[in-house]
Amino acid sequence: MASLNPGRLMMARTVEHLSQRQLSELIERTQHAQIPAAKISRIENGLVECSATDLNKIAAALDYPIEFFNMMSEDLNPLDLTYRRTAKTRISEVNAIVGEYQMLDAAVNKVTNKLGMAHRPSWIDALAPRQSGPLDTLDIDRIAQRAREQLRLESKGAVPNMTRALERSGILVVPMRSMGESSEYKQTSEGVTAPALKKGSPIIGYIRRQVTGDRMRFTKAHELGHLVLHAHHRELTKKQMEDEAHTFAGAILMPREDAESTISETTMLSEFVAIKAGWGISISALVMRASALGLISADRKRSLQMQISARGWRKMEPVTVDVEHPLLFKQMLGKAYGRIDSPTEVTVDSFDAVKDLGVPFRYLDFWTDGLKAESEQVGVYERRFPDDGDTQMMVMPNDCPTPQDVSMK
């Protein structure tokens, strides 16, 4: 009998948005073999063992390595993730995100261990508040200032590159395929992390497709807020946690002293456009930050929001903020399974990486914004996800970490 972890079969199926019946049909269509949905259900529930023949057919149909199904992994409670769920969020979407995050977390920690790198930065737990109940804006501003110090940012001024600051501190920033990449599933959130996880490297996942650079920056700062503020839940509701993370993101991206010297009750909407250009923060987020600090009245906030809506800026604001591309996980894979050709280009032995990590190459490729595979030099091409049409700009070379920036123990 094959050594199959039933939970891994369920994980792969949910990540690929397949029901048991759909998986059965996929096997029949691609492998010209029959594994009834009822049998797949019994395998997943541990009622019957999976033969080596059936496992090979399942793996081939899903295009997953056999090693994926043999691995053990700890179940991740969906409630441990900060993914913002609404009444419109499909359970299939939540399950796919949970499954992909588990795959990503296992891969990251295996590579981290292989390289002998340090895991969770101690400063996150050191800054995490322990008292019960929500924090006020002043408390969050103070914690955000201390976080800026740990991110090696000046106490004042715009954040040049939010992604690079996070990666320098040992926090991995990774685009996730399951987060809004298919138009079939309604996008209800743009970021995810797991602040309650006490072991392993912290990971911030985010949606990549058709999201502006300013929104990506805010999303990453928002998820950092969850990591820092909610490592100890503190008896908060989901809404309270989201509100605190929003306030934290604003405080990281525009410290209180900067906001007080930049925005006032008389600041015109046209001036907010100029502020966005200099700070890389959306106009809507700037208005909310000013309101949270009491720099504008409730009436002024309402007036500005009405103007934003009237101009159609809810969907598309003026001023383009460049998209920031992560590099840390890409360089880690290069060190572990190949070579780092340049700060933004990595070549890996895809066979070794896939076999060792038990993850399809297309996910490693997506999580790193693109890998080169050694096999392609001899005409063997790995399967990749289709181009999603992004027009993302690459970061400038002088803003990229060198291989030495991947800190070791």
Side-chain angles (χ1 to χ4, degrees), residues 88 134 179 198 201 214 237 324 345 349 355 368 376-377 409:
K88 295 181 179 180
M179 298 196 64
K198 295 298 187 292
S201 300
D214 50 287
T237 66
E324 301 172 357
E345 297 291 337
D349 183 326
K355 184 178 178 63
T368 56
E376 295 180 352
Q377 297 174 2
K409 276 183 179 178

Side-chain angles (χ1 to χ4, degrees), residues 355-407:
K355 184 178 178 63
D356 191 38
L357 300 177
V359 176
F361 179 80
R362 61 186 179 275
Y363 280 97
L364 298 177
D365 180 66
F366 190 91
W367 291 339
T368 56
D369 274 342
L371 292 171
K372 292 181 180 179
E374 287 182 353
S375 61
E376 295 180 352
Q377 297 174 2
V378 293
V380 180
Y381 291 91
E382 296 284 356
R383 180 184 171 190
R384 302 172 190 264
F385 286 114
D387 183 8
D388 58 18
D390 275 343
T391 55
Q392 301 179 359
M393 297 180 64
M394 295 300 293
V395 292
M396 296 301 292
N398 61 5
D399 194 30
C400 300
T402 64
Q404 289 74 26
D405 285 327
V406 183
S407 57

Side-chain angles (χ1 to χ4, degrees), residues 44-312:
E44 288 185 357
N45 286 289
L47 300 178
V48 298
E49 292 190 66
C50 182
S51 68
T53 299
D54 282 348
L55 178 54
N56 284 330
K57 292 172 182 175
I58 291 170
L62 290 168
D63 193 20
Y64 273 57
I66 290 290
E67 290 78 12
F68 172 87
F69 300 97
N70 299 333
M71 291 181 172
M72 300 302 296
S73 59
E74 296 181 12
D75 290 335
L76 183 62
N77 188 333
L79 297 178
D80 289 336
L81 294 182
T82 58
Y83 178 71
R84 187 172 65 253
R85 296 173 290 279
T86 71
K88 295 181 179 180
T89 307
R90 298 184 182 187
I91 187 64
S92 60
E93 180 183 6
V94 176
N95 288 340
I97 291 169
V98 172
E100 185 180 350
Y101 195 92
Q102 283 185 271
M103 287 170 55
L104 172 61
D105 181 66
V108 164
N109 287 304
K110 192 155 192 174
V111 177
T112 299
N113 289 333
K114 186 179 181 73
L115 295 176
M117 293 174 60
H119 281 269
R120 187 180 180 87
S122 59
W123 65 266
I124 294 178
D125 290 324
L127 293 188
R130 265 71 169 177
Q131 69 269 33
S132 62
L135 303 170
D136 60 29
T137 301
L138 186 58
D139 288 332
I140 295 175
D141 280 357
R142 289 170 178 163
I143 295 172
Q145 274 295 304
R146 293 175 64 192
R148 280 180 69 108
E149 293 176 12
Q150 298 298 329
L151 296 175
R152 289 187 270 171
L153 297 169
E154 299 292 336
S155 61
K156 296 191 297 181
V159 178
N161 191 310
M162 189 70 220
T163 305
R164 209 64 64 243
L166 291 166
E167 291 184 324
R168 283 197 303 263
S169 73
I171 299 172
L172 282 93
V173 183
V174 181
M176 288 178 58
R177 175 70 185 177
S178 57
M179 298 196 64
E181 289 297 320
S182 172
S183 59
E184 181 182 350
Y185 299 94
K186 183 174 179 61
Q187 175 189 326
T188 54
S189 184
E190 295 177 358
V192 63
T193 192
L197 292 183
K198 295 298 187 292
K199 57 183 179 180
S201 300
I203 302 168
I204 291 176
Y206 67 95
I207 182 174
R208 189 180 75 179
R209 186 183 182 191
Q210 296 176 346
V211 177
T212 59
D214 50 287
R215 287 179 64 176
M216 280 193 185
R217 281 164 55 88
F218 192 89
T219 291
K220 294 164 186 176
H222 175 101
E223 296 305 326
L224 174 63
H226 281 304
L227 281 173
V228 172
L229 300 178
H230 305 133
H232 309 280
H233 191 271
R234 305 186 358 258
E235 302 174 3
L236 300 176
T237 66
K238 279 287 185 182
K239 184 180 185 307
Q240 287 172 329
M241 291 172 68
E242 287 299 308
D243 289 345
E244 287 191 350
H246 263 64
T247 302
F248 181 94
I252 280 283
L253 294 171
M254 178 173 268
R256 176 182 290 264
E257 189 173 342
D258 288 308
E260 290 173 342
S261 64
T262 305
I263 305 171
S264 70
E265 182 76 7
T266 59
T267 302
M268 305 295 291
L269 189 61
S270 59
E271 295 175 275
F272 277 96
V273 175
I275 297 170
K276 174 184 177 178
W279 288 83
I281 311 172
S282 72
I283 298 167
S284 294
L286 286 168
V287 170
M288 294 301 295
R289 176 65 173 154
S291 175
L293 295 177
L295 302 178
I296 59 175
S297 64
D299 287 343
R300 183 58 180 158
K301 171 187 171 184
R302 190 179 307 111
S303 172
L304 289 167
Q305 290 176 330
M306 290 174 63
Q307 293 178 57
I308 290 170
S309 295
R311 287 165 171 76

